[in-house]
Amino acid sequence: MRPTGLTANLNVADIEEAKEFYTDYLGLSVEEMNLGWVARFKTPDGRAVVQLVSGDATAPVDSVMSVHVGDDVEAAYEEAQRRGFDIVYPLTTEPWGVRRFFVRAPDGSVVNIVSHSDDAG
């Protein structure tokens, strides 16, 4: 697998309630994306990024991080299966334009392996 990016996913009870702390205080002032249940904030230079999750829209659990893999998501899924990792959420094309699956790391952390339509390549 060749990650093209990694984003920490922080579970919060309410994104709007948490937003001021992350945007104003921590300086992650650029709202890159907000679907209501997940929002991504970054610094203006893009060097620091966090994703707030209040409950995944389709998966049965929330992930602790999202690993962006460009167009390698199918190969990453096959490799996870080959290695016998626990697939928590199967490879799925989501209505909001990503293709992803969730895998449980040996430490129990759930990781979102994702391909965005704009990061394939």
Side-chain angles (χ1 to χ4, degrees), residues 7-8 47 56 70 78 86 92 103:
T7 305
R47 293 181 63 190
D56 196 278
E78 290 170 8
D86 180 18
T92 303
V103 60

Side-chain angles (χ1 to χ4, degrees), residues 29-99:
S29 58
V30 177
E31 183 176 272
E32 188 174 25
M33 174 267 300
N34 190 333
L35 299 178
W37 61 271
V38 60
R40 187 176 317 118
F41 301 96
K42 64 182 183 178
T43 53
D45 65 6
R47 293 181 63 190
V49 180
V50 70
Q51 198 156 265
L52 306 180
V53 181
S54 63
D56 196 278
T58 56
V61 297
D62 292 332
S63 59
V64 298
M65 75 173 117
S66 294
V67 177
H68 305 263
V69 295
D71 58 7
D72 287 338
V73 71
E74 281 84 5
Y77 187 70
E78 290 170 8
E79 181 67 8
Q81 289 180 311
R82 186 187 72 72
R83 290 175 179 249
F85 293 142
D86 180 18
I87 304 297
V88 179
Y89 183 67
L91 186 59
T92 303
T93 300
E94 301 290 4
W96 55 93
V98 303
R99 189 151 169 78

